[in-house]
Amino acid sequence: MERARPLPSRRRLLRGAVLAAVPYTLLPATRAGAQAQAVDYPLAEWQPASIANYTASNRPTSYPLDRVIVHVTQETYLDALDIFRNPAKQVSAHYVVRSADGHVAQCVREHDVAWHAGNWDYNTRSIGIEHEGWVDRPASFTNALYEASARLTAAVCTAYGIPKDRAHIIGHHEVPGSDHTDPGPNWDWTRYIRLVNFA
């Protein structure tokens, strides 16, 4: 004999009504035209870079992965994504982390070579992570940004056996031949590496 289903609780009904009332534009979603694709990092949203802005590859088979390179956008989060979508820009990174809430977008698959370091050898062997902010505005390096980025970097390091230390997690300014200064003197490396190791 089949049992009667229990009626939903008042709380459950109210919660459903609230979600139904939330405008569609406030819910997280991919941009119109951005095809959903499996991401390498489960907490990331797929926001693809133009195929003209990276090199298709089969890493770590084609190139070993032994670095994570920390960048600062010098742009807003949305402007950085737009730059990576523009085929004329010839630049990309694997990930972009938003300042306000630590939201992560993946723009290039980890097995592909993003053009982020300005040095082909370093591009082939690294994952590039952009952080929304400006090198001279330390307030853009929020707790949410540090914590989300550290979890992402820890996951990348674990996936590829990259040591979670300053020799293998470097700033863009440390790439040979780079003329960039990011992440700059306001980036708290001690805090960041500690967060990566405890993520």
Side-chain angles (χ1 to χ4, degrees), residues 160-180:
Y160 300 104
I162 301 170
K164 298 174 183 174
D165 60 30
R166 277 292 282 124
H168 297 87
I169 303 169
I170 65 171
H172 191 182
H173 71 283
E174 296 171 284
V175 173
S178 175
D179 61 354
H180 287 250

Side-chain angles (χ1 to χ4, degrees), residues 24-45:
Y24 178 76
T25 57
L26 295 179
L27 295 173
T30 56
R31 280 173 67 115
Q35 295 178 342
Q37 179 168 334
V39 291
D40 296 302
Y41 180 62
L43 299 178
E45 172 188 15

Side-chain angles (χ1 to χ4, degrees), residues 26-88:
L26 295 179
L27 295 173
T30 56
R31 280 173 67 115
Q35 295 178 342
Q37 179 168 334
V39 291
D40 296 302
Y41 180 62
L43 299 178
E45 172 188 15
W46 181 241
Q47 290 287 342
S50 167
I51 59 171
N53 291 344
Y54 64 91
T55 301
S57 189
N58 188 27
R59 302 184 313 163
T61 303
S62 53
Y63 301 100
L65 282 165
D66 64 2
R67 297 277 186 286
V68 172
I69 300 180
V70 173
H71 301 268
V72 173
T73 61
Q74 297 295 110
E75 302 283 348
T76 67
Y77 171 85
L78 291 175
D79 285 347
L81 294 178
D82 284 342
I83 288 167
F84 295 164
R85 287 187 195 101
N86 183 342

Side-chain angles (χ1 to χ4, degrees), residues 11-167:
R11 172 181 265 167
R12 190 176 211 171
L13 288 172
L14 288 173
R15 189 180 304 153
V18 168
L19 285 174
V22 172
Y24 178 76
T25 57
L26 295 179
L27 295 173
T30 56
R31 280 173 67 115
Q35 295 178 342
Q37 179 168 334
V39 291
D40 296 302
Y41 180 62
L43 299 178
E45 172 188 15
W46 181 241
Q47 290 287 342
S50 167
I51 59 171
N53 291 344
Y54 64 91
T55 301
S57 189
N58 188 27
R59 302 184 313 163
T61 303
S62 53
Y63 301 100
L65 282 165
D66 64 2
R67 297 277 186 286
V68 172
I69 300 180
V70 173
H71 301 268
V72 173
T73 61
Q74 297 295 110
E75 302 283 348
T76 67
Y77 171 85
L78 291 175
D79 285 347
L81 294 178
D82 284 342
I83 288 167
F84 295 164
R85 287 187 195 101
N86 183 342
K89 294 294 185 177
Q90 302 288 289
V91 66
S92 63
H94 294 94
Y95 295 98
V96 182
V97 183
R98 191 162 56 202
S99 175
D101 58 3
H103 181 76
V104 177
Q106 182 169 2
C107 304
V108 176
R109 295 296 303 271
E110 291 175 3
H111 60 75
D112 293 326
V113 179
W115 300 346
H116 61 95
N119 175 313
W120 177 248
D121 180 50
Y122 274 67
N123 280 342
T124 63
R125 57 197 271 207
S126 65
I127 298 293
I129 303 175
E130 287 279 359
H131 299 82
E132 179 185 27
W134 291 263
V135 296
D136 59 348
R137 297 184 205 166
S140 61
F141 304 147
T142 63
N143 291 335
L145 178 134
Y146 274 119
E147 291 166 7
S149 177
R151 285 190 297 272
L152 169 60
T153 295
V156 167
C157 289
T158 298
Y160 300 104
I162 301 170
K164 298 174 183 174
D165 60 30
R166 277 292 282 124

